[in-house]
Amino acid sequence: MTELSRRSALRLAALGAGALATAAAVRPAPAEAAGPRAFTVEDLGPGNTAYPLMSGLLVGDTFFVGSRNLSPTRAVGYHVPTRKVTRHKDFGAGNFVQGLAQHNGEILYAGIVGTKKGEPNLWKWDLRTDEVTALPEVVGLEVRSVAVAPDGTLYAVGKEAQPGIHEIDPATGAHRVLAVPDPGATQARGLSVTATHVYFGAGSNLSGGGEASGASVFAVERATGAARSLLPAEIAADPATRDLEVIGDRLYVGTEGSEDKGWFAVFSLADHTLEFSVRTRSKSVKTFVEAGGLIYFDADGLCSYDPVAKKYREISAPDVGGWGLGHLDGTIVAANSELEAVVHHVIATGATDAVGLVAAGAPAGAQLGMSLAARNGRVYVGGNGSIDLHTAQGVAKLRIPAEAKDTVIIDGTLYAGVYNSQGIWSYRPGGEARQIIALPQEQNRPQDVFWNPAIDRLLVGIQCDTKGGGSLAVCDLTGKTAKLTVDPLPDLQFPRAVTGEGTRAYLGGDNPVDGRAKGHIACVDTTTGQVLWTLDPGFGQGISGLVSCGGKLFCLTGKGKLFVVDPATRQVVHTADLGKPGAGNARLIISKGQIYGGGAEAVFHVDKRTYAVTPLVTGLAGQWYSGPRIAADERGALYTFRNRNLIKLVP
């Protein structure tokens, strides 16, 4: 993404100046160990410490910011006039605080993503007494958005099998499903409420494709649950509604586009007719606030709309971030996930700066792990919005947008596949992280990266959230180009695991949609992009680990089944069930000619000749967001997580 330069000033303001130390690195010559070795374990401390965020809401003069990937989930109150965090409350289990809503400036509600059955997913923070209480669990709902009606009734929507509008009486805990306006959607993120209607926006930005619905907006009568669809066909063709908000007598809607850009649309509340629409330059249009008679919103940069003149304008300002906007005394404040900061934009002058939340007093914590790479005394641990670099001198923070899902080090340079739709980024010690290869926007979620020195290409397996399926990207890091083979696996599987041998790439498939095929292997000619063959091993389990060694493919399913394939005959020649130590989307790597596996519970060795599996370390309880990672350095040390701490297994 080329707008990195316009964000650099904000990064410096949020983080302070500083550079990471440079270390010379060369690609080590391969060396092979005799067999499984004994390891000692060193605890290197928290893998990635920060205050990553997922939501923002202004209440009075305090901007409340919900956490992401921290335990326990939490929210802080950032006092806008003093630029200090003055309030903080922990909630409970889960991953994200994505839904925030307030009632009469007195009550703050928080909705949680990532809870387990029996854990509260809705919380109430009484801002008058500072008391926090859990509301009864809405079973099965990943809460993405909450809203409060004028009479105090709470509504929640999110991700579930058929996204419904959940109506909760906060006083009694009484709950009902008001309506399921779009049962074909995979997720709902748009929610706003008036005295008479609930406005509901949904679609399939996750687990899309097949029969999943596209963008939808419904006006639902609170009294009866009767639903009326509002979106015209050209807007409904987008994958999902990203956000919506009632402001005054109008409904403002933003969609999430795919190859095309997202829509901004305005509807009259009086008769629910469309007043204005425009396709923006942004993939995602979201979070609306009124200031001085104009409506401001985020579309990869701050935009405004004049509802009287019906004029839309892109403001020449840095990307403020899209997890919540507020307005106070002529200043727009925004929750910026990339910077882990609150951005201040002065409307009159256009001046924009950022205040890092940790520097302002937010309680940082150890994030869920995201990615892992190690070489030459440098260990990179990816989280949300950052990568922490561990060296003997300490820990430094490297800023990178969104989520570095998987990383690899080549000749001392770190390369990362970055979600959401951020392509391939690189970082050379002493420099700044930058995007070097853009990928099609719909190919948005890199799952695995593999460096194939035989062809000097980076192989990247990518998931397409909106349409289903995915692609193999064969990346030329020198020419900064990529060739894609789209949907190399059958039935909209995406490549979760990738490896290579010579000019051939091998992909292990998975599928987020129940009932679709998963667990196939595809062989792709990296020169032509042609799929040479696919194999169904017959286990019906997504593949999370894949390495090529000794002329065989070693494959590990997400549920812990190890199997070995002879690619010459396309036959499965060995199977073994590793159980819990190998489950949970564990990975496989090769270090010093030996095969190792790493999951949330254990690190183990796989004998490449006898296929015997030897546990090395167990009971890790590693906490990861996108599935466990294991890395090896040039000396044969292994790295993974114990709980949320980085550990080193030293031979």
Side-chain angles (χ1 to χ4, degrees), residues 1-3 7 283 300 319 338 400-403 416-425 434-441 443-446:
M1 145 177 149
T2 57
E3 70 265 23
R7 298 179 178 175
K283 177 184 176 181
D300 284 345
D319 188 356
E338 177 183 334
I400 199 163
E403 300 171 2
V418 183
Y419 167 89
N420 185 357
S421 300
Q422 298 287 343
I424 308 302
W425 283 62
R434 60 192 179 93
Q435 187 195 50
I436 60 167
I437 297 175
L439 297 171
Q441 284 196 343
Q443 301 297 326
N444 66 308
R445 188 185 294 268

Side-chain angles (χ1 to χ4, degrees), residues 219-264:
V220 181
E221 295 180 6
R222 292 181 62 200
T224 66
R228 172 184 172 182
S229 177
L230 303 187
L231 285 189
E234 65 271 18
I235 300 178
D238 273 0
T241 295
R242 176 62 182 84
D243 201 3
L244 57 79
E245 188 72 40
V246 171
I247 302 176
D249 58 359
R250 293 174 174 87
L251 173 69
Y252 298 90
V253 174
T255 71
E256 183 164 330
S258 183
E259 299 97 332
D260 297 319
K261 306 299 184 180
W263 284 88
F264 167 71

Side-chain angles (χ1 to χ4, degrees), residues 25-40:
V26 295
R27 188 182 306 161
E32 183 167 332
R37 299 164 288 170
F39 289 85
T40 59

Side-chain angles (χ1 to χ4, degrees), residues 54-141:
M54 195 74 168
S55 53
L57 178 70
L58 186 67
V59 183
D61 61 3
T62 300
F63 195 50
F64 289 89
V65 181
S67 68
R68 177 198 300 233
N69 286 350
L70 297 182
S71 180
T73 57
R74 63 198 71 172
V76 297
Y78 171 88
H79 188 240
V80 177
T82 62
R83 300 189 170 204
K84 297 292 183 182
V85 170
T86 57
R87 309 187 74 165
H88 160 231
K89 285 294 178 182
D90 290 343
F91 299 128
N95 292 340
F96 311 151
V97 181
Q98 186 165 355
L100 288 178
Q102 64 91 20
H103 183 54
N104 291 339
E106 299 175 342
I107 305 295
L108 183 73
Y109 292 100
I112 313 298
V113 175
T115 56
K116 299 176 182 177
K117 187 175 181 180
E119 297 173 340
N121 51 7
L122 289 168
W123 291 81
K124 175 184 176 182
W125 183 356
D126 191 320
L127 301 178
R128 300 161 298 181
T129 66
D130 217 31
E131 181 183 7
V132 169
T133 55
L135 298 181
E137 176 193 9
V138 179
V139 178
L141 178 65

Side-chain angles (χ1 to χ4, degrees), residues 456-482:
D456 283 329
R457 293 294 185 269
L458 187 70
L459 308 180
V460 186
I462 309 171
Q463 177 178 346
C464 174
D465 285 340
T466 56
K467 294 182 176 180
S471 62
L472 168 70
V474 180
C475 299
D476 179 349
L477 300 179
T478 302
K480 298 180 174 56
T481 60

Side-chain angles (χ1 to χ4, degrees), residues 312-649:
Y312 155 79
R313 183 170 74 95
E314 296 177 356
I315 298 172
S316 180
D319 188 356
V320 296
W323 291 105
L325 296 180
H327 169 248
L328 183 67
D329 298 332
T331 296
I332 300 292
V333 290
N336 188 300
S337 179
E338 177 183 334
L339 302 177
E340 295 168 8
V342 175
V343 173
H344 295 242
H345 174 78
V346 181
I347 296 173
T349 66
T352 304
D353 67 327
V355 179
L357 280 166
V358 174
Q367 297 194 59
L368 293 174
M370 197 82 67
S371 57
L372 195 57
R375 271 294 185 273
N376 300 91
R378 309 171 73 87
V379 186
Y380 297 88
V381 181
N384 186 82
S386 69
I387 295 175
D388 274 13
L389 170 57
H390 295 249
T391 67
Q393 290 72 45
V395 181
K397 188 163 287 292
L398 168 65
R399 283 295 170 195
I400 199 163
E403 300 171 2
K405 289 295 189 184
D406 202 25
T407 52
V408 65
I409 300 170
I410 307 166
D411 292 340
T413 298
L414 180 77
Y415 294 92
V418 183
Y419 167 89
N420 185 357
S421 300
Q422 298 287 343
I424 308 302
W425 283 62
S426 72
Y427 168 73
R428 185 75 181 175
E432 187 179 66
R434 60 192 179 93
Q435 187 195 50
I436 60 167
I437 297 175
L439 297 171
Q441 284 196 343
E442 69 272 15
Q443 301 297 326
N444 66 308
R445 188 185 294 268
Q447 290 281 357
D448 195 14
V449 299
F450 175 81
W451 173 247
N452 187 349
I455 57 174
D456 283 329
R457 293 294 185 269
L458 187 70
L459 308 180
V460 186
I462 309 171
Q463 177 178 346
C464 174
D465 285 340
T466 56
K467 294 182 176 180
S471 62
L472 168 70
V474 180
C475 299
D476 179 349
L477 300 179
T478 302
K480 298 180 174 56
T481 60
K483 295 181 179 179
L484 265 66
T485 299
V486 178
D487 291 337
L489 291 150
D491 202 15
L492 294 178
Q493 293 177 69
F494 67 87
R496 184 184 287 275
V498 179
T499 192
E501 187 73 36
T503 60
R504 295 190 172 190
Y506 297 99
L507 314 176
D510 201 352
N511 213 319
V513 180
D514 291 338
R516 291 181 188 164
K518 62 179 64 176
H520 286 62
I521 296 171
C523 176
V524 178
D525 186 321
T526 56
T527 304
T528 65
Q530 179 184 1
V531 178
L532 301 178
W533 52 263
T534 60
L535 169 68
D536 179 5
F539 304 124
Q541 301 175 14
I543 295 173
S544 61
L546 188 63
V547 295
S548 176
C549 187
K552 300 290 192 296
L553 286 176
F554 290 76
C555 314
L556 186 64
T557 74
K559 295 184 178 180
K561 183 179 289 293
L562 177 73
F563 65 98
V564 182
V565 172
D566 184 342
T569 62
R570 301 177 211 171
Q571 298 294 314
V572 176
V573 297
H574 174 78
T575 63
D577 191 349
L578 306 188
K580 188 176 181 180
N585 290 321
R587 296 291 183 114
L588 297 174
I589 61 168
I590 296 178
S591 174
K592 299 293 187 180
Q594 299 295 317
I595 302 171
Y596 296 95
E601 294 299 323
V603 174
F604 50 90
H605 173 268
V606 181
D607 191 290
K608 60 188 177 184
R609 296 181 178 88
T610 68
Y611 311 141
V613 176
T614 304
L616 302 176
V617 181
T618 59
L620 293 176
Q623 296 183 31
W624 301 88
Y625 179 60
S626 302
R629 295 292 192 271
I630 181 172
D633 65 20
E634 74 284 358
R635 296 185 177 184
L638 306 176
Y639 300 83
T640 189
F641 267 27
R642 174 185 282 148
N643 296 312
R644 299 193 182 206
N645 277 18
L646 174 66
I647 61 171
K648 178 180 181 180
L649 281 65

